[in-house]
Amino acid sequence: MTAKNPVISSDKIPEALYPVIESLCSVSIDIAKIIARGPLGQSLGHEVGENSDGDGQKALDVLTDEMFAEGLRTQDVRWYASEEQEEVVELNPKGSLALAIDPLDGSSNIDVNVSIGTIFSIYDAKPEANESFLRIANEQLAGGYVIYGPQVGLVVTFGAGTLQYVLDPDAGEFILVNDALTIPDNSNEFAINASNYRHWRKPVRAFIDDCVAGTDGPREENFNMRWVGSLVAEAHRILTRGGIFLYPSDARPGYEDGRLRMTYECAPIAFLIEQAGGKATDGSDPIMKHSVSKLHARTPLIFGSADKVDRVATYHDLPEQEVSALFGKRGLFRT
Ligand code: AHG
Ligand code: MN
Ligand code: MN
């Protein structure tokens, strides 16, 4: 009898985390198979209820959450915090780790055959459930995502650079394709849900106005826009070819801190981006220095190539009359 191939090589993975990463990979291979069958398999994209945040829950949100919780139950994970569950769940009372997960990111794209993902973050477990997660993002031991797209991929960091794997579907194994993913800084692409323009604060409007003005504006260069609606897909594009992503706070009720959740989405994405040489902020301050006081708390998220993220911060620092002025008149760019 031949030994079964591992689903991922242990080479670049800290020993203490390897079994958990292996479990995450195994479950995500099963999930990728379900997603690939789409309407040929079980119903995935229909609404089945609401989670504790009031977000609509799709069948695949619930199924993936159950699959990860089940797959990790026998691992070294004591605390399991899922975007889809109100409270932290205790999986293995003897476990030494705490795992936060957005089991299915980009739910609105399930039925339209567009890339979706799973985002995860690992901390060492504290004796109490919530305190294991309500801590500064730079205490993460690992942050990563699986992308279910034309290729299935894993992008993960353990604090020593960002690793990129691609699933070989025939072998059922994630293969390392880049052990030092680095964000290129020569892209002029921005990603934001522009339908919220009228709700944004002035610094965000001014930044986007100047991008849209292109060669006629103060930036004197043209920009391109992308918005997939799956954070994982936007992060993957930016890690691959650069650019900037913004989900800022806005004036809609419930969007005072943007839309994305710190524990399940912003912290792990920020960790990956910083380890790939980029930056991630709430507009001004680094996400990696943030903590939140509630498990499902949201935070504005701006990330991407370092120079572009820095530039957004300068718009937040501009005096009121500068962000109110018509483009072309901003003092920041007159020199
Ligand atoms: P989720 O499917 O886990 O709720 O996350 C969806 C998120 C994120 O993936 C995406 O960037 C954002 O919501 C899209 O928001 P809008 O629909 O407001 O554009
Ligand atoms: Mn999400
Ligand atoms: Mn989700």
Side-chain angles (χ1 to χ4, degrees):
M1 205 171 88
T2 50
K4 197 175 168 291
N5 281 344
V7 292
I8 187 164
S9 147
S10 60
D11 281 0
K12 302 274 177 187
I13 303 177
E15 212 179 322
L17 299 180
Y18 180 70
V20 175
I21 298 294
E22 204 187 13
S23 283
L24 286 168
C25 288
S26 292
V27 174
S28 54
I29 290 171
D30 292 342
I31 290 172
K33 286 180 191 153
I34 293 171
I35 291 170
R37 290 185 61 78
L40 303 178
Q42 50 195 297
S43 171
L44 303 178
H46 78 271
E47 201 101 352
V48 292
E50 276 189 357
N51 64 20
S52 58
D53 286 341
D55 292 341
Q57 262 181 331
K58 305 278 176 69
L60 192 60
D61 287 318
V62 177
L63 177 67
T64 52
D65 180 40
E66 288 169 359
M67 288 172 72
F68 281 113
E70 197 48 44
L72 292 164
R73 199 167 290 281
T74 53
Q75 296 299 334
D76 190 27
V77 178
R78 176 157 187 199
W79 305 118
Y80 175 85
S82 166
E83 181 192 83
E84 300 305 332
Q85 300 199 40
E86 194 165 351
E87 312 273 355
V88 176
V89 175
E90 185 165 28
L91 292 184
N92 171 3
K94 294 199 170 69
S96 70
L97 301 171
L99 182 129
I101 195 160
D102 176 355
L104 200 282
D105 174 68
S107 324
S108 71
N109 284 323
I110 297 169
D111 275 345
V112 291
N113 199 9
V114 166
S115 297
I116 49 184
T118 295
I119 311 173
F120 60 90
S121 166
I122 303 175
Y123 297 87
D124 58 304
K126 302 255 189 196
E128 203 268 325
N130 281 6
E131 71 170 355
S132 299
F133 299 100
L134 303 179
R135 51 210 284 195
I136 298 170
N138 68 15
E139 292 179 25
Q140 290 172 97
L141 303 178
Y145 63 76
V146 175
I147 183 166
Y148 312 103
Q151 302 139 26
V152 175
L154 167 73
V155 179
V156 64
T157 181
F158 304 101
T162 296
L163 309 171
Q164 181 185 2
Y165 296 82
V166 173
L167 177 67
D168 177 335
D170 299 324
E173 182 181 348
F174 283 92
I175 309 292
L176 186 68
V177 293
N178 192 337
D179 65 358
L181 198 55
T182 307
I183 301 182
D185 55 13
N186 55 357
S187 160
N188 270 8
E189 274 179 347
F190 65 91
I192 193 165
N193 185 337
S195 67
N196 298 319
Y197 181 90
R198 71 189 189 284
H199 304 298
W200 298 336
R201 292 170 53 219
K202 282 179 180 168
V204 173
R205 279 199 213 183
F207 176 80
I208 298 298
D209 284 346
D210 289 353
C211 292
V212 173
T215 50
D216 298 336
R219 304 285 297 269
E220 297 179 340
E221 51 186 337
N222 290 327
F223 289 80
N224 188 28
M225 197 198 87
R226 287 286 182 269
W227 186 251
V228 182
S230 296
L231 173 62
V232 157
E234 320 275 9
H236 201 71
R237 184 187 62 251
I238 289 170
L239 282 162
T240 307
R241 69 177 189 212
I244 184 168
F245 170 99
L246 304 93
Y247 211 121
S249 59
D250 68 51
R252 289 172 293 165
Y255 286 77
E256 299 80 7
D257 291 313
R259 175 189 169 117
L260 301 169
R261 301 120 187 122
M262 177 66 177
T263 309
Y264 314 106
E265 295 168 318
C266 306
I269 296 293
F271 195 11
L272 289 170
I273 294 290
E274 284 209 354
Q275 288 293 321
K279 286 195 174 175
T281 71
D282 62 358
S284 310
D285 300 318
I287 295 290
M288 290 300 281
K289 293 189 177 157
H290 266 239
S291 62
V292 285
S293 53
K294 287 195 188 127
L295 204 54
H296 292 270
R298 297 165 196 257
T299 187
L301 178 64
I302 320 285
F303 70 83
S305 310
D307 60 324
K308 293 184 178 59
V309 175
D310 283 343
R311 187 177 280 271
V312 172
T314 62
Y315 280 78
H316 282 81
D317 294 339
L318 283 176
E320 171 70 19
Q321 64 269 30
E322 289 279 331
V323 278
S324 301
L326 289 174
F327 64 78
K329 297 248 161 67
R330 279 188 246 291
L332 174 67
F333 305 112
R334 251 186 245 131
T335 51

